[in-house]
Amino acid sequence: MRIGIVGAGRIGGNCATQFARGGHEVKLSGRDPSKLEPLRAEIGEAASVGTPAEAAEFGEVVVLSVPWDGIDDALERAGSLEGKTVIDTTNFYGSKSPPAEGETQAHHNAARMPGARYTKSFNAMNAGVQAEAAFRPEADRAVQWVCGDEEDAKKVVMGLIADAGYVPVDLGGTADAAVFEAPGGPGSVYGEEYRLPDAERVVEAVRAGEAIPPAPSYGG
């Protein structure tokens, strides 16, 4: 599959690296594409570099991975995402375009991308943990949560998550995303590592409208 990366910083760069390891083609983009040449060289033949518009045109799937206050600019540079499956990795640490009270960040951002097949994922662990966790032995693989309102788009993204060396876990629609969004804290999985059995208990609690279990701790 062809995947465009709009914002190939730490999280976006890790997505590109692991998707390429999983057998996919990636096009990296950012404000200054020339700065992405070292990452392109590190990834190898599966990677190329372009502008955000070129990455969006290239990708069957487009990863949006920029700071929150840069989202509007990134979307303007990328152009129309209509019909594209989008993976939004962003978290609300910024001052522009805050979600309304009671609105999830995912629901807010989905509305900023009309016509896109929106999903949210790869936002709940920092880049260093994500890089270290990819392609572990199956029993120890880390979860990447995903939400979205289009089931077909989520299926595509969950397949990519598995290809990238993680375990995909569906938390539901964009209205259910608060549990894995920043800033974290009690009742949230944000900033925590989960493996599948513990993640399944979180999903059960969310669907039942109950408090999620305490975050797990994995020794070693």
Side-chain angles (χ1 to χ4, degrees), residues 7-49:
R10 295 189 67 198
I11 295 289
N14 177 70
C15 287
T17 298
Q18 310 312 340
F19 288 147
R21 288 178 69 187
H24 302 282
E25 297 178 73
V26 297
K27 184 176 283 291
L28 313 170
S29 73
R31 283 179 171 272
D32 184 353
S34 67
K35 292 183 178 179
L36 300 174
E37 282 298 331
L39 178 59
R40 183 207 60 75
E42 181 181 326
I43 294 172
E45 294 182 357
S48 58
V49 172

Side-chain angles (χ1 to χ4, degrees), residues 8-215:
R10 295 189 67 198
I11 295 289
N14 177 70
C15 287
T17 298
Q18 310 312 340
F19 288 147
R21 288 178 69 187
H24 302 282
E25 297 178 73
V26 297
K27 184 176 283 291
L28 313 170
S29 73
R31 283 179 171 272
D32 184 353
S34 67
K35 292 183 178 179
L36 300 174
E37 282 298 331
L39 178 59
R40 183 207 60 75
E42 181 181 326
I43 294 172
E45 294 182 357
S48 58
V49 172
T51 65
E54 290 168 341
E57 182 178 5
F58 169 85
E60 300 162 82
V61 172
V62 177
V63 176
L64 178 69
S65 191
V66 299
W68 185 276
D69 282 355
I71 290 174
D72 287 337
D73 179 68
L75 292 175
E76 182 176 351
R77 289 170 182 268
S80 173
L81 297 173
E82 186 167 358
K84 302 283 186 177
T85 296
V86 171
I87 304 173
D88 174 18
T89 79
T90 66
N91 289 301
F92 180 58
Y93 288 108
S95 58
K96 299 179 180 178
S97 191
E101 185 175 353
E103 182 185 33
T104 67
Q105 298 162 37
H107 185 270
H108 181 78
N109 278 353
R112 301 165 84 176
M113 305 175 209
R117 304 171 71 227
Y118 177 94
T119 71
K120 181 168 187 171
S121 191
F122 289 91
N123 65 292
M125 292 187 293
N126 70 46
V129 174
Q130 291 193 44
E132 184 277 327
F135 294 97
R136 285 180 183 158
E138 189 168 345
D140 296 330
R141 290 205 172 181
V143 161
Q144 294 284 7
W145 310 95
V146 60
C147 76
D149 297 327
E150 293 194 34
E151 294 301 319
D152 288 347
K154 282 196 291 188
K155 287 178 182 177
V156 169
V157 172
M158 290 174 74
L160 291 175
I161 290 169
D163 290 347
Y166 307 100
V167 178
V169 173
D170 181 359
L171 265 171
T174 57
D176 303 309
V179 72
F180 76 115
E181 294 183 330
S188 172
V189 302
Y190 178 81
E192 304 288 348
E193 179 185 328
Y194 277 79
R195 298 176 190 171
L196 184 58
D198 293 304
E200 289 174 335
R201 286 188 277 274
V202 170
V203 173
E204 289 172 4
V206 169
R207 290 178 179 172
E210 299 172 350
I212 67 171

